[in-house]
Amino acid sequence: MTAAKPLVFDLSTCFGRGRVTSKHLKSFEKMLIAAKERVEREVAEEKLGFWKAPELQAKPKNLAAMANLVASWQGHYDTLVVVGIGGSALGTRMLLNALTHRYHNELSAEKRGGMKVYLLENDDPDSFEALWSAIDPLKTVFNVISKSGTTAETASQFATVLQRMRKLYPNSWSEHFVFTTDPEKGVLRPFAAQHGIACLDVPPDVGGRFSVLTPVGLLPALAAGIDIQGLLKGAAAMSRRILEAPAERNPALRIAGLHVLADTAMGKNMVVVMPYADGLRDWTEWFCQLWAESLGKRSAEDGREVRAGTTPIKALGAIDQHSQMQLYMEGPDDKFFVFLHVEAFEKKVRFPGKKYLPDELNYLSGHTMQELIQAELKASRFALSRQGRLSYEIRLPKIAAETLGQLIFWAEATTCYAGYLYGVNPFDQPGVELGKKFAYGLMGREGFEKFKQKIDKAPAPKEDHLL
């Protein structure tokens, strides 16, 4: 099987009058070299868990562990429900959106070629009951994904599912569960050992938002019929490309530098991510978590207060040309735009001939739907450029497993480089943890009483603040 074509990164609309200059680039040169050397050193020392993931997960024993598990479900179960939130779910949703049929769960088993896959993410009781009413529990496996097992949203839904399954199937309920969790720590491992529940590992050195190329994302993808070896192959190819390229040809390093430069020197404190393909819609949501949670930091690694990061914004072409583009074109010049261009769609839809069209629509005759959406991307990028807006374009040969693997790894590596350029740790999330502690206190979790006390002592809203 031939390797997929590499992604192409077109940075041409980042440079020129009113945009990035050679002076800007010169000021960042030393920082870029330092970030490049740091990543190379940490990869060599195996300190970057996400960087190891494609090679590690492609080992035969790891592929076999997932394949054997999915094979054991055949003939017994037709549905997989992922119980997880954030990095435990967004990657799976992205893979399903990109690499399965748009209406995968609605197809017959023969047409699907894999299990139906649903996600229990937010602890919204209406959503929970809606999904429960739509599945047949007898034919369902629940994949609970949490390193610690104590994430409130996941733990609460797991506890509820567990109670219902034990009541429905008192002698076989444990066969309906698989845990993806820390190899040793957390509450799920001992529970699994006690009840004979299958477990897969989340590598301890891989954080949730970087975990899609581990069993967190790979097991649900495999269950749905996705080519996970292709995903890993594409990711590994991008890893090699990044490590082997000189600084000026390194797509992750150079683009990370442009993002940080645009923010710190040019006031572009937002990044709009806009694919022109429905299959990449959920890639933007996955990317937004990766970017925001990794880079949005109050303090640098040396303790300085830096308030780093740019705000990611999801958009979808051509839909958001009709909702957000007016602001982007004529509003504040504080955004950096990322366009994703699919060069070849899977299906060909040709518009009808002139005799079938009103005169005003004759310009469509002889063209295809792919030509139109690609023209809309090209026109939008050009129009933004005419307004002096900063952008670049990522060109994917097509939406396929290897290509998506390249895109995923590029995003992870770019985020890592950007964190090092800002001087922050891209792998922690102290702001998220603080909110969790206050929520635990409000729910009465032991050891978090002081957090509830702080909320209880906060002054009540003034009357004139309530409308």
Side-chain angles (χ1 to χ4, degrees):
M1 188 172 72
T2 58
K5 292 181 180 178
L7 305 185
V8 173
F9 300 87
D10 179 355
L11 312 182
S12 57
T13 46
C14 290
F15 306 100
R17 186 176 179 181
R19 293 190 281 271
V20 177
T21 65
S22 57
K23 185 177 180 180
H24 285 132
L25 295 174
K26 189 70 176 176
S27 69
F28 255 59
E29 190 173 338
K30 289 183 179 179
M31 293 174 62
L32 291 171
I33 295 301
K36 180 176 186 293
E37 291 175 348
R38 178 175 176 178
V39 166
E40 289 172 350
R41 181 174 64 254
E42 291 181 346
V43 169
E45 296 171 354
E46 297 192 345
K47 289 183 176 180
L48 296 178
F50 81 89
W51 211 291
K52 297 182 292 183
E55 183 178 349
L56 177 64
Q57 299 305 322
K59 290 184 176 181
K61 68 174 183 177
N62 292 327
L63 290 172
M66 291 182 283
N68 291 339
L69 195 55
V70 172
S72 73
W73 297 335
Q74 292 179 1
H76 305 284
Y77 311 109
D78 65 6
T79 301
L80 180 72
V81 173
V82 172
V83 185
I85 195 168
S88 297
L90 291 177
T92 292
R93 186 135 52 85
M94 176 248 295
L95 297 179
L96 295 172
N97 172 231
L99 300 176
T100 65
H101 189 281
R102 196 71 67 246
Y103 304 100
H104 175 85
N105 287 343
E106 298 171 33
L107 299 176
S108 66
E110 183 180 359
K111 289 184 177 180
R112 276 198 316 270
M115 299 173 74
K116 293 181 281 187
V117 180
Y118 297 98
L119 292 96
L120 276 175
E121 299 174 82
N122 205 16
D123 48 351
D124 179 316
D126 291 344
S127 294
F128 179 90
E129 292 293 2
L131 179 56
W132 186 263
S133 68
I135 63 172
D136 179 353
L138 180 62
K139 296 181 179 180
T140 300
V141 176
F142 296 89
N143 182 197
V144 183
I145 305 177
S146 175
K147 276 180 122 175
S148 66
T150 59
T151 303
E153 299 84 358
T154 301
S156 64
Q157 296 188 85
F158 165 53
T160 308
V161 170
L162 179 63
Q163 178 198 35
R164 295 185 183 189
M165 294 300 286
R166 285 182 124 165
K167 286 184 175 180
L168 286 170
Y169 313 111
N171 298 318
S172 60
W173 63 268
S174 62
E175 298 170 11
H176 292 261
F177 288 91
V178 57
F179 296 162
T180 307
T181 188
D182 189 274
E184 298 177 358
K185 300 176 182 178
V187 303
L188 295 178
R189 278 282 168 183
F191 186 86
Q194 181 183 357
H195 297 287
I197 295 172
C199 282
L200 293 173
D201 294 345
V202 183
D205 56 356
V206 179
R209 58 187 178 273
F210 287 89
S211 68
V212 63
L213 297 177
T214 75
V216 169
L218 296 177
L219 177 66
L222 184 62
I226 289 171
D227 173 17
I228 65 170
Q229 292 189 61
L231 277 168
L232 296 170
K233 183 178 178 181
M238 180 57 73
S239 170
R240 291 191 298 272
R241 177 179 175 182
I242 290 168
L243 287 175
E244 293 170 3
E248 65 274 11
R249 301 296 300 171
N250 180 330
L253 175 64
R254 193 167 185 204
I255 290 173
L258 286 172
H259 276 281
V260 177
L261 179 62
D263 174 27
T264 58
M266 306 174 71
K268 318 291 187 189
N269 60 5
M270 289 177 255
V271 52
V272 178
V273 189
M274 195 168 186
Y276 275 69
D278 287 351
L280 296 175
R281 178 198 63 213
D282 289 343
W283 184 87
T284 63
E285 188 160 3
W286 171 83
F287 176 83
C288 283
Q289 185 209 6
L290 178 71
W291 192 258
E293 203 166 70
S294 298
L295 304 181
K297 302 294 165 62
R298 175 177 181 168
S299 301
E301 290 179 292
D302 61 9
R304 292 176 297 114
E305 183 170 312
V306 290
R307 298 289 182 180
T310 57
T311 302
I313 299 170
K314 297 176 290 182
L316 180 62
I319 290 172
D320 284 311
Q321 288 181 201
H322 300 271
S323 61
Q324 300 179 30
M325 189 58 75
Q326 174 62 35
L327 171 69
Y328 299 159
M329 199 72 66
E330 298 186 1
D333 187 10
D334 54 4
K335 301 170 189 69
F336 194 2
F337 297 88
V338 183
F339 291 98
L340 283 88
H341 173 180
V342 177
E343 294 180 328
F345 286 78
E346 184 180 355
K347 305 296 182 183
K348 304 292 184 184
V349 178
R350 185 167 294 279
F351 298 128
K354 291 182 179 180
K355 68 178 181 178
Y356 297 103
L357 297 170
D359 290 344
E360 294 83 359
L361 301 184
N362 277 346
Y363 72 92
L364 294 172
S365 179
H367 294 291
T368 65
M369 201 170 287
Q370 173 175 304
E371 287 179 278
L372 176 59
I373 199 167
Q374 291 174 343
E376 288 170 319
L377 187 160
K378 186 174 183 179
S380 294
R381 187 180 176 209
F382 184 78
L384 283 167
S385 180
R386 291 293 294 266
Q387 296 295 317
R389 282 11 184 186
L390 208 63
S391 73
Y392 62 91
E393 181 179 305
I394 306 172
R395 296 183 194 143
L396 292 77
K398 59 182 178 179
I399 299 177
E402 274 192 58
T403 306
L404 190 64
Q406 292 182 59
L407 184 64
I408 289 168
F409 194 87
W410 166 82
E412 293 178 340
T414 300
T415 302
C416 175
Y417 280 120
Y420 291 167
L421 290 170
Y422 276 121
V424 303
N425 179 357
F427 305 112
D428 66 0
Q429 53 277 337
V432 176
E433 298 304 319
L434 181 60
K436 288 181 180 179
K437 292 172 182 177
F438 283 118
Y440 291 147
L442 289 173
M443 292 300 292
R445 183 177 175 183
E446 187 177 350
F448 293 85
E449 294 82 1
K450 66 179 181 180
F451 293 96
K452 180 179 186 302
Q453 290 169 7
K454 289 180 180 180
I455 292 179
D456 290 343
K457 290 179 181 178
K462 294 181 180 179
E463 189 64 32
D464 61 349
H465 291 168
L466 300 174
L467 305 181

